[in-house]
Amino acid sequence: MNKSTVCISTLLFFLLFLLACGNEDDLLPLPMAEEGEELSGGGTTVFDASANAFALPAPSLSNAEELLFGIGNSFFNLNWVTAPASTTARDGLGPYFNSRSCSGCHFRDGRGRPPAFDGENNHGLLLRLSVDGTSLQGAPLPHAIYGGQLQDRAIPGMAPEGRFTIRYETIEGRYDDGTPYTLRRPTYHIDDLSLGDLGNVKVSPRVGAQMIGLGLLEAVEEATILSFADEADVDGDGISGKANYVWEVEKQQLSLGRFGWKANEPTLLQQTAGAFLGDMGITSDLFPDENCLTRECEEQPHGGLPEIEEEKLRNVALYVSTLAVPARRDHEDPEVLQGKQLFIQLQCTSCHIPKMTTGIHSIPALSNQSIRPYTDLLLHDMGEGLADHREDFRASGREWRTPPLWGLGLIETVNEHTFLLHDGRARNIEEAILWHGGEAENAQKAFKALSNNQREQLLRFLESL
């Protein structure tokens, strides 16, 4: 059998396969897998689809970097304790906090979720707080007593700031073909306040995202990210992504925001230091002041000034910078390829940019990598349904950063759940798509107009990422 016969036979097989799997309306020209498409993190990709898929170091780290990765891993995963303690390297927890460790919100370096029951700890969802107005730099103004987020845990002898519960409203809908679906809309109730009334406060829930590939995103050049922006929608496609510019503490200037649900953090070092302070009450050189203002709080023992030394903080930042990206699975599967074609056809790639190249990073393994994160790192209006009505520098109350999609299909394996979006309201990928509004409303409507088979193909593609 010659090469031509083999190619014709292969093509006929694929056509017969597609005819067997769906209606003629479902058929699109069969796309081909791109060379290297499975290498989501470029040269930092790892081929591991186990429960530890998000916890591996990027290949090609130097011996010294691997040692620092291990040190950072230790400080990321082990619990911090109250001061004074014999474990002086990890004391100073609180007085108020949300978690005893970074991994409490990012279990196995993965994704947090809403609490499964009232009062559950270590679930990975917290409430940001702010009042009307902004700082001189444009940041949200924290509450005068409760600060920038509600701490629902406290050290012995002190009462937590408060607790919150979530109630869900069921929303029913139908696809264009009549298939029913349900969504759930959360409402947050804050109770048992220990420091007085909250008053007129803005509340925004935030769930911890998976940690993979963050250093690669930091290595993408600013010019590359800005090339995706179209704030005035000049091309008329209805998509108007814009960059957030936020206060960078180290440089004392406004810098491009890349991290966080509203792209409100400029660097991984600042993101890490902010999480240590906000989530665990651990001070650093970047944020030296405790996140509480009461006299009782000031009288509590601390774990040093600062409570995490600069070298250790930078080790943790290196750790979160160099967590490897798992490879794609089934990227050559015909059904996945059809789903990829639908993803493009629905214009999902207008925000979830499939491919970009990193620039120069201080960690050589992250430099000049061809990566496939499926994000533009820009802010987009996602509609009233997802709005938190809380501004964050240039981000409006309806705008959110496009989350990277790499690793999406492994969240269930790593974290044993599939809750998505900034507050975990979506119970799976399908619901997350259905919550898309604003700039993404046309894509959402197009998804609802697909046949059942086409929807399955699109979901198969997303689960392969």
Side-chain angles (χ1 to χ4, degrees), residues 354-435:
K355 186 178 179 180
M356 60 190 72
T357 302
T358 66
I360 302 300
H361 195 278
S362 58
I363 300 171
L366 306 179
S367 299
N368 302 316
Q369 296 297 317
S370 178
I371 61 174
R372 299 174 186 271
Y374 286 87
T375 179
D376 57 9
L377 296 176
L378 297 174
L379 298 169
H380 294 275
D381 182 338
M382 294 300 293
E384 189 62 25
L386 292 177
D388 67 349
H389 303 291
R390 181 179 182 271
E391 300 78 15
D392 205 332
F393 293 95
R394 297 190 72 225
S396 76
R398 290 166 54 107
E399 289 177 323
W400 301 92
R401 185 198 70 157
T402 307
L405 298 183
W406 51 14
L408 182 63
L410 288 172
I411 293 172
E412 184 173 13
T413 299
V414 173
N415 295 124
E416 300 178 353
H417 71 79
T418 56
F419 298 116
L420 297 172
L421 298 179
H422 66 280
D423 54 6
R425 71 176 67 187
R427 291 165 289 193
N428 49 49
I429 299 172
E430 182 180 359
E431 290 187 16
I433 297 171
L434 292 169
W435 272 111

Side-chain angles (χ1 to χ4, degrees), residues 170-183:
T170 298
I171 301 172
E172 297 182 350
R174 290 185 179 274
Y175 288 100
D176 291 6
D177 64 8
T179 303
Y181 64 79
T182 60
L183 303 176

Side-chain angles (χ1 to χ4, degrees), residues 19-92:
L19 285 170
C21 291
N23 301 322
E24 289 184 10
D25 292 340
D26 295 340
L27 294 179
L28 293 169
L30 183 68
M32 301 295 292
E34 301 169 37
E35 183 179 357
E37 190 171 0
E38 73 277 20
L39 302 176
S40 299
T44 71
T45 305
V46 291
F47 288 82
D48 190 308
S50 73
N52 291 317
F54 295 165
L56 301 174
S60 304
L61 295 181
S62 68
N63 291 337
E65 288 165 345
E66 286 186 353
L67 177 62
L68 297 178
F69 178 93
I71 296 172
N73 175 52
S74 172
F75 280 93
F76 187 92
N77 284 291
L78 293 181
N79 285 345
W80 288 72
V81 299
T82 56
S86 58
T87 311
T88 56
R90 290 188 179 87
D91 68 346

